[in-house]
């Protein structure tokens, strides 16, 4: 069975500082990996996805993520955080055969200090 | 282009009652997925419908059911409500059944069971 672990429940970062959110997955085959963001009272928005190819993927809002097969990780990064990045971030894993059945991690809540 | 619309946004029910939630996907999208979000269990996949057929199902009891209509709108029903069914129910649509995991989420229907 596939699983996703986000080790950090909360992260506080100063505005303008860099941000890295950790994600580790367990999946037998080549996974499809995603990062979604959820602002308070909102649904989830897709930030970026990895299916295959270049292991460094670029997403919206200046985010990027790197797939490391040897570490079963798919960490999300942003060089300079804006106050509007305060939200909850979810890593998810899927598979082609599973359609839109995604397994989500527990989420990391990001707080941005002025 | 209108996003995913979920109704109602908030509702309160008592144990033993049933509830029906509605989801209108983005125009042209044919796949609709449902997820349950709770503080304790996080985001869990309920089911996915594509072209009026259930394509995938999560590990939820039979009290949880859904359907999709010819216009791609979807409903989910929970019968014999339990306190533990209190959650945010998120609907997500995608263009086809093959764009795995690239989901557009609605803002959710928040169900409180008393």
């Amino acid at each position: 069975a596939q699983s996703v672990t986000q080790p950090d429940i909360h992260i506080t970062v100063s505005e303008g500082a860099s941000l890295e959110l950790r994600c580790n997955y367990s999946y037998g085959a080549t996974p499809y990996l995603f990062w979604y963001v959820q602002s308070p009272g909102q649904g989830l928005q897709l930030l970026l996805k990895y299916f295959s190819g270049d292991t460094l993927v670029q997403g919206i809002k200046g985010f990027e993520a790197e797939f490391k097969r040897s570490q079963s990780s798919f960490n999300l990064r942003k060089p300079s955080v804006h106050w509007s990045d305060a939200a909850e971030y979810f890593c998810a894993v899927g598979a082609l055969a599973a359609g839109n059945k995604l397994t989500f991690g527990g989420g990391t809540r990001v707080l941005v200090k002025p | 282009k209108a996003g995913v619309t979920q109704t109602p946004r908030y509702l309160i029910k008592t144990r033993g009652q049933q509830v029906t939630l509605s989801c209108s996907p983005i125009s042209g999208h044919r796949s609709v997925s449902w997820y349950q979000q709770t503080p304790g269990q996080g985001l869990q996949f309920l089911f996915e419908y594509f072209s009026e057929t259930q394509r995938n199902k999560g590990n939820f009891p039979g009290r949880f059911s859904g359907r999709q209509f010819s216009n791609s709108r979807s409903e989910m029903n929970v019968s014999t409500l339990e306190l533990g069914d209190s959650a945010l129910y998120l609907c997500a649509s995608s263009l086809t059944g093959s764009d795995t995991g690239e989901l557009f989420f609605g803002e959710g229907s928040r169900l409180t069971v008393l």
Side-chain angles (χ1 to χ4, degrees), chain B residues 25-87:
Chain B
I26 292 172
S27 178
H29 284 197
R30 296 170 58 195
S31 169
V32 173
S33 304
W34 289 89
Y35 286 82
Q36 182 197 63
Q37 185 175 27
T38 61
Q41 299 298 316
L43 280 154
Q44 294 184 285
F45 173 80
L46 281 157
F47 24 66
E48 178 192 4
Y49 288 87
F50 178 74
S51 294
E52 301 179 65
T53 301
Q54 187 180 86
R55 189 165 76 153
N56 273 304
K57 190 176 189 305
N59 296 322
F60 279 82
R63 300 186 297 107
F64 292 80
S65 62
R67 59 178 175 168
Q68 186 180 32
F69 302 96
S70 58
N71 61 358
S72 295
R73 191 177 68 86
S74 177
E75 289 181 348
M76 68 163 283
N77 183 275
V78 188
S79 63
T80 319
L81 284 166
E82 301 176 358
L83 295 179
D85 297 333
S86 294

Short mmCIF file of all heavy atoms in Angstrom, two decimals, chain B residues 25-87:
data_model
loop_
_atom_site.label_atom_id
_atom_site.label_comp_id
_atom_site.label_asym_id
_atom_site.label_seq_id
_atom_site.Cartn_x
_atom_site.Cartn_y
_atom_site.Cartn_z
N PRO B 25 -18.78 20.04 -11.51
CA PRO B 25 -17.38 20.18 -11.92
C PRO B 25 -17.20 21.36 -12.87
O PRO B 25 -18.17 21.97 -13.32
CB PRO B 25 -17.10 18.87 -12.64
CG PRO B 25 -18.44 18.47 -13.20
CD PRO B 25 -19.45 18.92 -12.17
N ILE B 26 -15.96 21.66 -13.13
CA ILE B 26 -15.63 22.67 -14.13
C ILE B 26 -16.22 22.22 -15.47
O ILE B 26 -16.17 21.02 -15.80
CB ILE B 26 -14.11 22.85 -14.21
CG1 ILE B 26 -13.60 23.50 -12.92
CG2 ILE B 26 -13.71 23.69 -15.43
CD1 ILE B 26 -12.09 23.57 -12.82
N SER B 27 -16.73 23.18 -16.21
CA SER B 27 -17.35 22.85 -17.49
C SER B 27 -16.38 22.09 -18.39
O SER B 27 -15.23 22.50 -18.57
CB SER B 27 -17.78 24.14 -18.18
OG SER B 27 -18.34 23.87 -19.44
N GLY B 28 -16.86 20.95 -18.90
CA GLY B 28 -16.01 20.13 -19.76
C GLY B 28 -15.27 19.04 -19.04
O GLY B 28 -14.75 18.11 -19.68
N HIS B 29 -15.16 19.12 -17.72
CA HIS B 29 -14.50 18.08 -16.95
C HIS B 29 -15.44 16.89 -16.79
O HIS B 29 -16.62 17.05 -16.48
CB HIS B 29 -14.08 18.59 -15.57
CG HIS B 29 -12.87 19.45 -15.62
ND1 HIS B 29 -12.12 19.73 -14.49
CD2 HIS B 29 -12.26 20.10 -16.64
CE1 HIS B 29 -11.11 20.49 -14.82
NE2 HIS B 29 -11.17 20.75 -16.11
N ARG B 30 -14.90 15.70 -16.96
CA ARG B 30 -15.74 14.51 -16.93
C ARG B 30 -15.48 13.61 -15.73
O ARG B 30 -16.23 12.67 -15.48
CB ARG B 30 -15.54 13.72 -18.23
CG ARG B 30 -16.00 14.48 -19.46
CD ARG B 30 -15.57 13.78 -20.73
NE ARG B 30 -16.08 12.42 -20.80
CZ ARG B 30 -15.62 11.50 -21.64
NH1 ARG B 30 -14.63 11.80 -22.47
NH2 ARG B 30 -16.15 10.29 -21.66
N SER B 31 -14.40 13.88 -15.01
CA SER B 31 -14.08 13.05 -13.84
C SER B 31 -14.35 13.85 -12.58
O SER B 31 -13.97 15.02 -12.47
CB SER B 31 -12.61 12.62 -13.89
OG SER B 31 -12.23 12.05 -12.66
N VAL B 32 -15.02 13.22 -11.63
CA VAL B 32 -15.28 13.83 -10.33
C VAL B 32 -14.83 12.87 -9.24
O VAL B 32 -15.21 11.70 -9.25
CB VAL B 32 -16.77 14.17 -10.15
CG1 VAL B 32 -17.03 14.64 -8.72
CG2 VAL B 32 -17.20 15.23 -11.15
N SER B 33 -14.03 13.40 -8.33
CA SER B 33 -13.56 12.61 -7.18
C SER B 33 -14.05 13.26 -5.90
O SER B 33 -14.24 14.48 -5.85
CB SER B 33 -12.03 12.55 -7.16
OG SER B 33 -11.51 12.04 -8.35
N TRP B 34 -14.22 12.46 -4.88
CA TRP B 34 -14.63 12.94 -3.57
C TRP B 34 -13.60 12.54 -2.53
O TRP B 34 -13.11 11.40 -2.52
CB TRP B 34 -15.99 12.36 -3.18
CG TRP B 34 -17.15 12.90 -3.97
CD1 TRP B 34 -17.64 12.42 -5.15
CD2 TRP B 34 -17.98 14.02 -3.61
NE1 TRP B 34 -18.72 13.17 -5.56
CE2 TRP B 34 -18.96 14.15 -4.63
CE3 TRP B 34 -18.01 14.91 -2.54
CZ2 TRP B 34 -19.94 15.14 -4.61
CZ3 TRP B 34 -18.98 15.89 -2.51
CH2 TRP B 34 -19.93 16.00 -3.54
N TYR B 35 -13.30 13.48 -1.64
CA TYR B 35 -12.37 13.24 -0.55
C TYR B 35 -13.00 13.73 0.75
O TYR B 35 -13.74 14.70 0.78
CB TYR B 35 -11.06 14.00 -0.77
CG TYR B 35 -10.17 13.39 -1.83
CD1 TYR B 35 -10.37 13.64 -3.17
CD2 TYR B 35 -9.12 12.55 -1.47
CE1 TYR B 35 -9.56 13.07 -4.14
CE2 TYR B 35 -8.29 11.98 -2.43
CZ TYR B 35 -8.53 12.24 -3.76
OH TYR B 35 -7.72 11.68 -4.72
N GLN B 36 -12.67 13.03 1.82
CA GLN B 36 -13.07 13.44 3.16
C GLN B 36 -11.86 14.00 3.88
O GLN B 36 -10.79 13.39 3.85
CB GLN B 36 -13.63 12.24 3.94
CG GLN B 36 -14.12 12.60 5.34
CD GLN B 36 -14.29 11.36 6.22
OE1 GLN B 36 -13.31 10.67 6.51
NE2 GLN B 36 -15.50 11.09 6.64
N GLN B 37 -12.02 15.15 4.52
CA GLN B 37 -10.91 15.74 5.27
C GLN B 37 -11.32 15.93 6.72
O GLN B 37 -12.29 16.63 7.02
CB GLN B 37 -10.49 17.08 4.66
CG GLN B 37 -9.25 17.68 5.33
CD GLN B 37 -8.77 18.96 4.65
OE1 GLN B 37 -9.55 19.67 4.03
NE2 GLN B 37 -7.48 19.24 4.75
N THR B 38 -10.58 15.31 7.62
CA THR B 38 -10.80 15.45 9.05
C THR B 38 -9.48 15.73 9.74
O THR B 38 -8.42 15.36 9.22
CB THR B 38 -11.41 14.18 9.67
OG1 THR B 38 -10.49 13.08 9.46
CG2 THR B 38 -12.75 13.83 9.06
N PRO B 39 -9.52 16.37 10.91
CA PRO B 39 -8.27 16.65 11.63
C PRO B 39 -7.52 15.37 12.00
O PRO B 39 -6.30 15.34 11.99
CB PRO B 39 -8.73 17.41 12.88
CG PRO B 39 -10.05 18.00 12.49
CD PRO B 39 -10.67 17.01 11.56
N GLY B 40 -8.25 14.32 12.31
CA GLY B 40 -7.61 13.09 12.76
C GLY B 40 -7.08 12.21 11.66
O GLY B 40 -5.98 11.66 11.75
N GLN B 41 -7.84 12.06 10.60
CA GLN B 41 -7.47 11.15 9.50
C GLN B 41 -6.91 11.86 8.28
O GLN B 41 -6.42 11.21 7.36
CB GLN B 41 -8.70 10.32 9.09
CG GLN B 41 -9.26 9.46 10.21
CD GLN B 41 -8.25 8.44 10.68
OE1 GLN B 41 -7.58 7.79 9.89
NE2 GLN B 41 -8.12 8.30 11.99
N GLY B 42 -6.99 13.16 8.26
CA GLY B 42 -6.47 13.90 7.11
C GLY B 42 -7.38 13.76 5.90
O GLY B 42 -8.59 13.61 6.03
N LEU B 43 -6.76 13.78 4.72
CA LEU B 43 -7.49 13.67 3.46
C LEU B 43 -7.56 12.22 3.04
O LEU B 43 -6.53 11.57 2.86
CB LEU B 43 -6.77 14.48 2.38
CG LEU B 43 -7.01 15.97 2.38
CD1 LEU B 43 -5.83 16.71 1.75
CD2 LEU B 43 -8.29 16.30 1.65
N GLN B 44 -8.78 11.74 2.87
CA GLN B 44 -8.97 10.35 2.45
C GLN B 44 -9.87 10.29 1.24
O GLN B 44 -10.92 10.93 1.19
CB GLN B 44 -9.55 9.53 3.60
CG GLN B 44 -8.62 9.39 4.80
CD GLN B 44 -9.22 8.48 5.84
OE1 GLN B 44 -10.13 8.84 6.58
NE2 GLN B 44 -8.71 7.26 5.90
N PHE B 45 -9.48 9.45 0.30
CA PHE B 45 -10.22 9.28 -0.94
C PHE B 45 -11.49 8.47 -0.70
O PHE B 45 -11.45 7.41 -0.05
CB PHE B 45 -9.32 8.55 -1.95
CG PHE B 45 -9.98 8.16 -3.23
CD1 PHE B 45 -10.16 9.08 -4.24
CD2 PHE B 45 -10.42 6.86 -3.43
CE1 PHE B 45 -10.76 8.71 -5.43
CE2 PHE B 45 -11.02 6.47 -4.61
CZ PHE B 45 -11.19 7.40 -5.61
N LEU B 46 -12.59 9.00 -1.20
CA LEU B 46 -13.87 8.30 -1.09
C LEU B 46 -14.17 7.50 -2.35
O LEU B 46 -14.31 6.28 -2.32
CB LEU B 46 -14.99 9.30 -0.83
CG LEU B 46 -15.13 9.79 0.60
CD1 LEU B 46 -15.83 11.13 0.65
CD2 LEU B 46 -15.86 8.76 1.45
N PHE B 47 -14.33 8.20 -3.45
CA PHE B 47 -14.58 7.54 -4.73
C PHE B 47 -14.36 8.52 -5.88
O PHE B 47 -14.27 9.72 -5.68
CB PHE B 47 -15.98 6.92 -4.86
CG PHE B 47 -17.04 7.53 -3.97
CD1 PHE B 47 -17.46 8.84 -4.15
CD2 PHE B 47 -17.64 6.78 -2.97
CE1 PHE B 47 -18.43 9.39 -3.36
CE2 PHE B 47 -18.61 7.32 -2.16
CZ PHE B 47 -19.02 8.63 -2.35
N GLU B 48 -14.29 7.93 -7.09
CA GLU B 48 -14.12 8.70 -8.31
C GLU B 48 -15.13 8.21 -9.34
O GLU B 48 -15.34 7.00 -9.48
CB GLU B 48 -12.71 8.57 -8.89
CG GLU B 48 -12.53 9.35 -10.20
CD GLU B 48 -11.27 9.01 -10.94
OE1 GLU B 48 -10.52 8.11 -10.50
OE2 GLU B 48 -11.01 9.65 -11.98
N TYR B 49 -15.73 9.16 -10.03
CA TYR B 49 -16.65 8.84 -11.11
C TYR B 49 -16.13 9.44 -12.41
O TYR B 49 -15.60 10.55 -12.43
CB TYR B 49 -18.05 9.38 -10.81
CG TYR B 49 -18.73 8.60 -9.72
CD1 TYR B 49 -18.54 8.93 -8.39
CD2 TYR B 49 -19.51 7.51 -10.03
CE1 TYR B 49 -19.14 8.21 -7.39
CE2 TYR B 49 -20.13 6.76 -9.02
CZ TYR B 49 -19.93 7.12 -7.70
OH TYR B 49 -20.52 6.38 -6.72
N PHE B 50 -16.31 8.67 -13.44
CA PHE B 50 -15.93 9.11 -14.78
C PHE B 50 -16.97 8.60 -15.75
O PHE B 50 -17.25 7.40 -15.78
CB PHE B 50 -14.54 8.60 -15.16
CG PHE B 50 -14.10 9.00 -16.53
CD1 PHE B 50 -13.71 10.29 -16.80
CD2 PHE B 50 -14.08 8.08 -17.57
CE1 PHE B 50 -13.32 10.67 -18.06
CE2 PHE B 50 -13.70 8.43 -18.83
CZ PHE B 50 -13.31 9.74 -19.09
N SER B 51 -17.55 9.51 -16.51
CA SER B 51 -18.60 9.14 -17.46
C SER B 51 -19.68 8.28 -16.80
O SER B 51 -20.06 7.22 -17.31
CB SER B 51 -18.00 8.40 -18.67
OG SER B 51 -17.17 9.27 -19.40
N GLU B 52 -20.14 8.75 -15.65
CA GLU B 52 -21.27 8.16 -14.90
C GLU B 52 -20.94 6.79 -14.29
O GLU B 52 -21.84 6.14 -13.74
CB GLU B 52 -22.51 8.03 -15.81
CG GLU B 52 -22.98 9.35 -16.38
CD GLU B 52 -24.19 9.20 -17.29
OE1 GLU B 52 -25.25 8.81 -16.78
OE2 GLU B 52 -24.05 9.45 -18.50
N THR B 53 -19.69 6.38 -14.34
CA THR B 53 -19.30 5.08 -13.78
C THR B 53 -18.30 5.29 -12.65
O THR B 53 -17.39 6.10 -12.76
CB THR B 53 -18.65 4.21 -14.88
OG1 THR B 53 -19.58 4.02 -15.94
CG2 THR B 53 -18.24 2.85 -14.30
N GLN B 54 -18.50 4.53 -11.59
CA GLN B 54 -17.53 4.61 -10.49
C GLN B 54 -16.25 3.91 -10.92
O GLN B 54 -16.26 2.71 -11.21
CB GLN B 54 -18.11 3.96 -9.23
CG GLN B 54 -17.21 4.16 -8.01
CD GLN B 54 -17.78 3.51 -6.76
OE1 GLN B 54 -17.58 2.33 -6.49
NE2 GLN B 54 -18.52 4.29 -5.99
N ARG B 55 -15.17 4.63 -10.90
CA ARG B 55 -13.91 4.08 -11.40
C ARG B 55 -13.01 3.58 -10.28
O ARG B 55 -12.23 2.67 -10.45
CB ARG B 55 -13.18 5.12 -12.23
CG ARG B 55 -11.97 4.58 -12.96
CD ARG B 55 -11.53 5.52 -14.02
NE ARG B 55 -10.82 6.68 -13.48
CZ ARG B 55 -9.92 7.37 -14.16
NH1 ARG B 55 -9.60 7.00 -15.37
NH2 ARG B 55 -9.36 8.44 -13.64
N ASN B 56 -13.11 4.23 -9.13
CA ASN B 56 -12.30 3.85 -7.99
C ASN B 56 -13.09 4.09 -6.72
O ASN B 56 -13.95 4.98 -6.68
CB ASN B 56 -11.02 4.70 -7.91
CG ASN B 56 -9.90 4.13 -8.73
OD1 ASN B 56 -9.50 2.99 -8.56
ND2 ASN B 56 -9.38 4.93 -9.64
N LYS B 57 -12.77 3.33 -5.71
CA LYS B 57 -13.47 3.48 -4.44
C LYS B 57 -12.46 3.36 -3.32
O LYS B 57 -11.57 2.50 -3.36
CB LYS B 57 -14.55 2.42 -4.29
CG LYS B 57 -15.49 2.63 -3.11
CD LYS B 57 -16.59 1.59 -3.09
CE LYS B 57 -17.66 1.90 -2.06
NZ LYS B 57 -17.14 2.08 -0.71
N GLY B 58 -12.60 4.21 -2.30
CA GLY B 58 -11.73 4.12 -1.14
C GLY B 58 -12.29 3.17 -0.10
O GLY B 58 -13.28 2.47 -0.33
N ASN B 59 -11.64 3.16 1.05
CA ASN B 59 -12.02 2.22 2.11
C ASN B 59 -13.01 2.84 3.08
O ASN B 59 -12.70 3.09 4.24
CB ASN B 59 -10.77 1.76 2.86
CG ASN B 59 -9.84 0.98 1.96
OD1 ASN B 59 -10.27 0.20 1.12
ND2 ASN B 59 -8.55 1.20 2.13
N PHE B 60 -14.18 3.07 2.62
CA PHE B 60 -15.25 3.61 3.44
C PHE B 60 -16.41 2.62 3.44
O PHE B 60 -16.60 1.87 2.50
CB PHE B 60 -15.72 4.96 2.89
CG PHE B 60 -14.83 6.11 3.29
CD1 PHE B 60 -13.66 6.38 2.60
CD2 PHE B 60 -15.15 6.91 4.37
CE1 PHE B 60 -12.82 7.42 2.97
CE2 PHE B 60 -14.33 7.97 4.74
CZ PHE B 60 -13.18 8.21 4.05
N PRO B 61 -17.20 2.65 4.53
CA PRO B 61 -18.33 1.72 4.60
C PRO B 61 -19.38 2.03 3.54
O PRO B 61 -19.40 3.10 2.94
CB PRO B 61 -18.88 1.93 6.02
CG PRO B 61 -18.36 3.25 6.45
CD PRO B 61 -17.05 3.45 5.76
N GLY B 62 -20.28 1.07 3.35
CA GLY B 62 -21.30 1.21 2.34
C GLY B 62 -22.28 2.34 2.58
O GLY B 62 -23.05 2.68 1.67
N ARG B 63 -22.23 2.93 3.77
CA ARG B 63 -23.10 4.09 4.04
C ARG B 63 -22.75 5.28 3.14
O ARG B 63 -23.54 6.18 2.96
CB ARG B 63 -22.95 4.53 5.50
CG ARG B 63 -23.32 3.49 6.52
CD ARG B 63 -23.27 4.08 7.94
NE ARG B 63 -21.93 4.51 8.34
CZ ARG B 63 -21.57 5.78 8.45
NH1 ARG B 63 -22.41 6.75 8.18
NH2 ARG B 63 -20.34 6.08 8.85
N PHE B 64 -21.54 5.24 2.63
CA PHE B 64 -21.08 6.30 1.74
C PHE B 64 -21.30 5.84 0.30
O PHE B 64 -20.79 4.80 -0.11
CB PHE B 64 -19.59 6.60 1.97
CG PHE B 64 -19.30 7.22 3.28
CD1 PHE B 64 -19.21 6.45 4.44
CD2 PHE B 64 -19.10 8.59 3.39
CE1 PHE B 64 -18.94 7.03 5.67
CE2 PHE B 64 -18.83 9.18 4.61
CZ PHE B 64 -18.75 8.40 5.75
N SER B 65 -22.03 6.63 -0.44
CA SER B 65 -22.29 6.27 -1.82
C SER B 65 -22.27 7.51 -2.69
O SER B 65 -22.33 8.64 -2.18
CB SER B 65 -23.64 5.55 -1.97
OG SER B 65 -24.69 6.41 -1.57
N GLY B 66 -22.19 7.31 -3.96
CA GLY B 66 -22.18 8.46 -4.85
C GLY B 66 -22.75 8.09 -6.19
O GLY B 66 -23.07 6.93 -6.48
N ARG B 67 -22.89 9.11 -7.00
CA ARG B 67 -23.29 8.88 -8.38
C ARG B 67 -22.90 10.09 -9.21
O ARG B 67 -22.63 11.17 -8.68
CB ARG B 67 -24.79 8.63 -8.48
CG ARG B 67 -25.69 9.74 -7.96
CD ARG B 67 -27.14 9.39 -8.16
NE ARG B 67 -28.05 10.38 -7.57
CZ ARG B 67 -29.35 10.40 -7.80
NH1 ARG B 67 -29.92 9.51 -8.60
NH2 ARG B 67 -30.11 11.32 -7.23
N GLN B 68 -22.90 9.87 -10.51
CA GLN B 68 -22.59 10.96 -11.43
C GLN B 68 -23.65 10.97 -12.53
O GLN B 68 -24.07 9.92 -13.01
CB GLN B 68 -21.20 10.79 -12.06
CG GLN B 68 -20.77 11.96 -12.91
CD GLN B 68 -19.40 11.79 -13.52
OE1 GLN B 68 -19.00 10.66 -13.84
NE2 GLN B 68 -18.66 12.87 -13.67
N PHE B 69 -24.04 12.14 -12.90
CA PHE B 69 -25.09 12.31 -13.90
C PHE B 69 -24.47 12.55 -15.28
O PHE B 69 -23.26 12.78 -15.41
CB PHE B 69 -25.99 13.46 -13.49
CG PHE B 69 -26.63 13.28 -12.14
CD1 PHE B 69 -26.06 13.84 -11.01
CD2 PHE B 69 -27.78 12.52 -12.00
CE1 PHE B 69 -26.63 13.67 -9.76
CE2 PHE B 69 -28.35 12.33 -10.75
CZ PHE B 69 -27.78 12.90 -9.63
N SER B 70 -25.32 12.54 -16.28
CA SER B 70 -24.83 12.66 -17.66
C SER B 70 -24.16 14.01 -17.92
O SER B 70 -23.35 14.14 -18.83
CB SER B 70 -25.97 12.42 -18.65
OG SER B 70 -27.01 13.34 -18.43
N ASN B 71 -24.49 15.02 -17.12
CA ASN B 71 -23.85 16.33 -17.29
C ASN B 71 -22.59 16.46 -16.44
O ASN B 71 -22.08 17.56 -16.26
CB ASN B 71 -24.83 17.45 -16.96
CG ASN B 71 -25.31 17.39 -15.51
OD1 ASN B 71 -24.94 16.49 -14.76
ND2 ASN B 71 -26.13 18.36 -15.13
N SER B 72 -22.13 15.34 -15.90
CA SER B 72 -20.92 15.22 -15.07
C SER B 72 -21.11 15.70 -13.63
O SER B 72 -20.21 15.49 -12.81
CB SER B 72 -19.71 15.93 -15.68
OG SER B 72 -19.34 15.29 -16.87
N ARG B 73 -22.22 16.33 -13.32
CA ARG B 73 -22.48 16.68 -11.92
C ARG B 73 -22.52 15.41 -11.07
O ARG B 73 -22.90 14.34 -11.56
CB ARG B 73 -23.79 17.45 -11.79
CG ARG B 73 -24.03 18.09 -10.44
CD ARG B 73 -25.33 18.88 -10.42
NE ARG B 73 -26.51 18.02 -10.51
CZ ARG B 73 -27.09 17.44 -9.47
NH1 ARG B 73 -26.59 17.61 -8.25
NH2 ARG B 73 -28.16 16.70 -9.64
N SER B 74 -22.10 15.56 -9.83
CA SER B 74 -22.03 14.37 -8.97
C SER B 74 -22.69 14.66 -7.63
O SER B 74 -22.75 15.82 -7.18
CB SER B 74 -20.57 13.96 -8.77
OG SER B 74 -20.46 12.87 -7.87
N GLU B 75 -23.18 13.65 -7.03
CA GLU B 75 -23.70 13.72 -5.67
C GLU B 75 -23.08 12.61 -4.85
O GLU B 75 -22.77 11.53 -5.38
CB GLU B 75 -25.23 13.55 -5.65
CG GLU B 75 -26.01 14.71 -6.20
CD GLU B 75 -27.52 14.48 -6.13
OE1 GLU B 75 -27.93 13.33 -5.88
OE2 GLU B 75 -28.26 15.44 -6.36
N MET B 76 -22.90 12.89 -3.58
CA MET B 76 -22.55 11.82 -2.65
C MET B 76 -23.55 11.81 -1.51
O MET B 76 -24.10 12.84 -1.14
CB MET B 76 -21.12 11.92 -2.12
CG MET B 76 -20.83 13.08 -1.22
SD MET B 76 -19.28 12.81 -0.29
CE MET B 76 -19.82 11.65 0.95
N ASN B 77 -23.80 10.63 -1.02
CA ASN B 77 -24.80 10.45 0.02
C ASN B 77 -24.16 9.69 1.17
O ASN B 77 -23.39 8.75 0.96
CB ASN B 77 -25.98 9.66 -0.54
CG ASN B 77 -27.09 9.49 0.47
OD1 ASN B 77 -27.06 8.58 1.28
ND2 ASN B 77 -28.06 10.38 0.44
N VAL B 78 -24.48 10.14 2.37
CA VAL B 78 -24.07 9.39 3.55
C VAL B 78 -25.33 9.06 4.34
O VAL B 78 -26.09 9.98 4.71
CB VAL B 78 -23.10 10.19 4.44
CG1 VAL B 78 -22.56 9.29 5.55
CG2 VAL B 78 -21.96 10.78 3.62
N SER B 79 -25.57 7.81 4.56
CA SER B 79 -26.76 7.40 5.29
C SER B 79 -26.39 7.07 6.74
O SER B 79 -25.22 6.84 7.07
CB SER B 79 -27.41 6.18 4.62
OG SER B 79 -26.51 5.08 4.65
N THR B 80 -27.39 7.04 7.58
CA THR B 80 -27.22 6.69 9.00
C THR B 80 -25.98 7.38 9.58
O THR B 80 -25.01 6.75 9.99
CB THR B 80 -27.10 5.16 9.17
OG1 THR B 80 -28.03 4.50 8.32
CG2 THR B 80 -27.41 4.79 10.62
N LEU B 81 -26.03 8.69 9.59
CA LEU B 81 -24.87 9.48 9.99
C LEU B 81 -24.38 9.13 11.39
O LEU B 81 -25.17 8.88 12.31
CB LEU B 81 -25.21 10.96 9.92
CG LEU B 81 -25.25 11.56 8.51
CD1 LEU B 81 -25.93 12.92 8.54
CD2 LEU B 81 -23.85 11.67 7.93
N GLU B 82 -23.07 9.15 11.53
CA GLU B 82 -22.40 8.94 12.82
C GLU B 82 -21.60 10.20 13.14
O GLU B 82 -21.27 10.99 12.25
CB GLU B 82 -21.47 7.73 12.74
CG GLU B 82 -22.17 6.45 12.37
CD GLU B 82 -21.22 5.28 12.21
OE1 GLU B 82 -19.98 5.48 12.36
OE2 GLU B 82 -21.69 4.16 11.94
N LEU B 83 -21.29 10.36 14.43
CA LEU B 83 -20.53 11.54 14.84
C LEU B 83 -19.22 11.66 14.07
O LEU B 83 -18.79 12.75 13.71
CB LEU B 83 -20.25 11.48 16.34
CG LEU B 83 -21.45 11.55 17.28
CD1 LEU B 83 -21.00 11.45 18.73
CD2 LEU B 83 -22.24 12.83 17.05
N GLY B 84 -18.62 10.52 13.81
CA GLY B 84 -17.33 10.51 13.11
C GLY B 84 -17.41 10.92 11.65
O GLY B 84 -16.37 11.06 11.00
N ASP B 85 -18.60 11.11 11.14
CA ASP B 85 -18.74 11.55 9.74
C ASP B 85 -18.59 13.06 9.63
O ASP B 85 -18.57 13.59 8.51
CB ASP B 85 -20.11 11.12 9.19
CG ASP B 85 -20.28 9.61 9.14
OD1 ASP B 85 -19.25 8.90 9.03
OD2 ASP B 85 -21.43 9.15 9.22
N SER B 86 -18.50 13.74 10.76
CA SER B 86 -18.27 15.19 10.73
C SER B 86 -16.93 15.45 10.03
O SER B 86 -15.89 14.94 10.45
CB SER B 86 -18.23 15.76 12.14
OG SER B 86 -19.48 15.64 12.76
N ALA B 87 -16.98 16.24 8.98
CA ALA B 87 -15.78 16.43 8.17
C ALA B 87 -16.04 17.49 7.12
O ALA B 87 -17.17 17.93 6.92
CB ALA B 87 -15.39 15.11 7.48
#
